[in-house]
Amino acid sequence: MAAAMTNTSSALPDLETPTTWTIIVSRSRLEKYVITFLLAVVLYDQVMYIKRKGSIAGPRFKIPLMGPFFQAIDPKFPAYLKQWASGPLSCVSVFHKFVVLASDRDLAHKVFKSPSYVEPCLLPIAKEIIGTNSWVFLQGKAHAEYKRGITPLFTNKAIATYLPVQEKVLSQYFAKFISASKTNSHKPMAFMPLFREINCALSCRTFLGDYISQDAVKRIADDFYLITAALELVNVPLSMYIPYTKQWHGKRVADAVHNEFERCAAASKKNMATTGAKPTCIVDQWVCHMIASEKYRQQIAAGHTAAPKPINLIRWFSDQEIGETLFGFLFASQDAGSSSMTWLFQVLAQRPDVLVKIRKENLAARDGDATKAFDVAMVESLTYTTAVIKEILRHRPPVIFVPYLAIKDFPVTETYTVPKGSMIIPSNYPALHDPESYKNPDEFDPDRWISGDAESKTKNWLVFGAGPHECPARKYVPLTMTAMIGKASLEMDWSHHATDRSEEIQVFATLFPMDGGQLVFTKRP
């Protein structure tokens, strides 16, 4: 009997130890819970997309969760054209981010001019790269305060002090173009990297004069593309802290540039305050306005009520604030300026008739002396050359859209409201290629600015945006580009060697020829 009881008890399952069947059942339930949860997440994501999309153009259904992720990290220009053509408002959704694109000119203006509904928004990582307190991201009174400090830096009087240093940079790099072609046995080569370098050098010298060394300029020019590469539409959370990712590289480069710019701001303050030197660059101009404003405030505080008030009364900006602002200028100009320069040299090589007219006009403005330095009055007299610059900025705009974030529900039309937290992106390219405003918009035609009516299409001229965050350099950029190409036309000849990809557009923050601009430069006799 005892043996029987022993055998019976040993045959019973151990209640403390799960059987294989119990484990299988538990795993099956867990898998069901996981699958149910994932299906619920996908369904919620899909329902929210459909709800946010409303009546505007866009895919009827979203690719589960990730949306057009791969298109976002490797954008193709034809896809943008297709998206813009789909409707005045269209949408996509990448992971958690809902994005509305405004391709209609008037809707673009409405977004640009609605600071109570939207704020500039590149990416979450952008503030870490450009500067958390950069004026680019400020709104209202704080933004207006910066604008007062910045606007006088781009007047004709201020620009006149920058042109001599720009002429030196251009001479240096034009010689470098010619030397590079000679070293390459006058075979065509991609000049886009050198255009990026000269554009960076022009910017750094204009912003910081001789406070920045040539080694620092070269280092920034070589590395700045890493900052652009870091600002992908979609990236892994906290990737900035993961070694060797694009975001990690970009943040390290940005920190080094910020430190260099702050050092230069401090050096300018010391130089302007102790030597009374004349300003030769943007940081000098800014510091001079600050010193004059501070002196005026001290005089008023001392009871000198008759003290003359400066034309531009501004507050004292810290080295960090100046450095972040100049970094923002460089960020805005580096890719955009490099793009415009690449297309300009390529298009003019394709249109020798246009280049001949530029050369003739610039030689006449110098009274036949090709070596004569340019000044503001001379550059402003170059009607045809200015028209060429405006046309290249229209034909191949350096900025094709500007991302904004809806800080609250934004009724952008009578029938559609952009949900709070969504990105809304006014697009510049469609307005600049509108056939109703610009006849044959895909053709490069400088004469439309002289004998045509392009000059009157001011609402379409969205090259520099509009509204409170309109680019403060909207006059400076065409002026300095006009000076640059005028000097180039007198000192160099160049030819373009077309490839199958010369007219194919690469999107890298802005627009570049896919083959990098295959050019050859030689010195003019």
Side-chain angles (χ1 to χ4, degrees):
M1 184 70 178
M5 290 180 64
T6 301
N7 290 338
T8 302
S9 63
S10 64
L12 292 173
D14 184 354
L15 296 178
E16 298 296 327
T17 305
T19 63
T20 301
W21 176 251
T22 305
I23 293 172
I24 291 173
V25 171
S26 298
R27 286 179 177 174
S28 177
R29 287 176 178 171
L30 179 61
E31 288 172 356
K32 286 181 180 178
Y33 290 146
V34 170
I35 291 171
T36 300
F37 174 75
L38 290 176
L39 287 175
V41 170
V42 170
L43 180 61
Y44 175 79
D45 184 58
Q46 199 69 246
V47 169
M48 290 303 296
Y49 167 73
I50 293 171
K51 180 181 178 181
R52 290 167 176 164
K53 175 182 178 296
S55 60
I56 65 175
R60 178 177 292 182
F61 300 106
K62 176 185 176 182
I63 298 172
L65 299 181
M66 69 176 186
F69 168 71
F70 294 106
Q71 295 94 317
I73 61 175
D74 185 23
K76 305 296 183 185
F77 189 66
Y80 284 124
L81 293 176
K82 184 178 179 181
Q83 180 94 28
W84 291 326
S86 68
L89 290 174
S90 60
C91 68
V92 296
S93 182
V94 181
F95 288 119
H96 65 288
K97 183 58 68 177
F98 185 71
V99 182
V100 177
L101 283 85
S103 59
D104 176 80
R105 180 199 68 184
D106 293 333
L107 289 179
H109 272 280
K110 185 170 185 177
V111 177
F112 282 132
K113 298 174 181 178
S114 298
S116 60
Y117 286 100
V118 297
E119 65 181 17
C121 166
L122 295 174
L123 295 165
I125 194 177
K127 288 190 176 182
E128 297 293 334
I129 295 287
I130 298 174
T132 305
N133 299 312
S134 174
W135 76 287
V136 174
F137 303 112
L138 297 179
Q139 295 280 72
K141 183 179 179 181
H143 181 266
E145 193 175 57
Y146 265 89
K147 205 76 178 281
R148 282 198 302 274
I150 291 168
T151 300
L153 309 180
F154 297 102
T155 63
N156 276 7
K157 184 178 180 181
I159 292 172
T161 65
Y162 314 149
L163 294 184
V165 72
Q166 289 186 358
E167 182 118 36
K168 290 180 182 178
V169 172
L170 293 173
S171 295
Q172 176 189 352
Y173 275 90
F174 289 168
K176 198 168 186 176
F177 291 176
I178 295 166
S179 176
S181 287
K182 184 177 180 180
T183 301
N184 199 44
S185 302
H186 293 103
K187 295 177 183 177
M189 57 182 283
F191 263 84
M192 188 178 76
L194 271 173
F195 291 146
R196 290 184 65 85
E197 188 177 331
I198 185 178
N199 191 68
C200 185
L202 281 168
S203 295
C204 286
R205 290 296 178 201
T206 301
F207 302 162
L208 304 165
D210 290 332
Y211 299 115
I212 187 169
S213 70
Q214 185 58 36
D215 286 344
V217 170
K218 181 67 168 62
R219 188 166 59 251
I220 294 171
D222 288 344
D223 294 344
F224 203 85
Y225 80 96
L226 293 170
I227 294 174
T228 305
L231 296 174
E232 294 176 314
L233 179 61
V234 179
N235 53 66
V236 177
L238 302 179
S239 56
M240 185 173 65
Y241 305 102
I242 302 173
Y244 307 112
T245 62
K246 290 181 182 179
Q247 289 68 38
W248 181 83
H249 280 297
K251 182 64 165 64
R252 287 168 66 88
V253 172
D255 287 347
V257 177
H258 278 295
N259 290 337
E260 179 66 23
F261 282 14
E262 287 178 31
R263 185 195 64 76
C264 292
S268 175
K269 285 179 179 178
K270 181 178 179 180
N271 185 42
M272 291 294 104
T274 58
T275 69
K278 291 184 178 180
T280 60
C281 57
I282 281 180
V283 70
D284 280 351
Q285 290 282 357
W286 197 348
V287 168
C288 283
H289 286 292
M290 289 195 298
I291 290 174
S293 298
E294 191 67 14
K295 183 178 179 180
Y296 171 76
R297 281 189 288 268
Q298 291 173 356
Q299 289 175 326
I300 294 298
H304 301 295
T305 56
K309 185 177 181 180
I311 296 175
N312 184 40
L313 183 63
I314 60 174
R315 69 173 175 84
W316 190 265
F317 290 84
S318 70
D319 297 341
Q320 181 181 352
E321 289 174 321
I322 294 173
E324 284 188 346
T325 301
L326 297 180
F327 185 99
F329 288 171
L330 183 60
F331 177 79
S333 66
Q334 177 58 8
D335 292 303
S338 302
S339 167
S340 295
M341 195 176 293
T342 304
W343 287 111
L344 181 60
F345 278 104
Q346 176 170 308
V347 169
L348 290 182
Q350 296 167 338
R351 293 288 303 274
D353 58 317
V354 174
L355 183 54
V356 166
K357 290 180 181 179
I358 290 174
R359 190 170 283 145
K360 182 178 179 181
E361 181 180 59
N362 277 268
L363 190 60
R366 291 167 170 78
D367 299 319
D369 181 3
T371 64
K372 186 176 180 180
F374 50 70
D375 56 35
V376 171
M378 178 196 295
V379 176
E380 286 192 324
S381 73
L382 301 171
T383 305
Y384 186 76
T385 311
T386 300
V388 169
I389 297 304
K390 285 188 175 181
E391 181 64 357
I392 204 69
L393 293 174
R394 184 207 65 82
H395 180 61
R396 290 287 186 260
V399 176
I400 57 175
F401 49 62
V402 183
Y404 281 80
L405 177 70
I407 55 179
K408 58 184 176 181
D409 289 348
F410 180 18
V412 69
T413 69
E414 292 182 358
T415 58
Y416 185 75
T417 296
V418 178
K420 177 183 177 181
S422 303
M423 289 179 70
I424 179 165
I425 304 179
S427 304
N428 303 11
Y429 190 94
L432 294 164
H433 285 255
D434 177 9
E436 293 185 8
S437 298
Y438 304 108
K439 184 179 178 181
N440 300 320
D442 294 328
E443 291 185 10
F444 176 80
D445 179 16
D447 288 326
R448 73 173 81 240
W449 297 94
I450 298 173
S451 56
D453 63 351
E455 199 69 60
S456 67
K457 309 300 181 182
T458 53
K459 289 199 72 174
N460 288 72
W461 186 246
L462 289 174
V463 173
F464 301 98
H469 284 274
E470 178 184 54
C471 177
R474 63 176 299 147
K475 182 175 183 180
Y476 163 84
V477 170
L479 191 73
T480 54
M481 284 187 69
T482 297
M484 181 276 297
I485 201 61
K487 180 178 174 67
S489 72
L490 297 174
E491 297 184 6
M492 298 184 295
D493 287 313
W494 63 93
S495 59
H496 174 244
H497 294 253
T499 71
D500 293 340
R501 312 196 81 184
S502 294
E503 299 303 322
E504 189 177 343
I505 293 176
Q506 174 191 8
V507 181
F508 184 68
T510 182
L511 310 181
F512 291 93
M514 194 67 78
D515 63 5
Q518 297 290 319
L519 298 162
V520 174
F521 284 87
T522 57
K523 185 176 177 61
R524 279 185 63 76

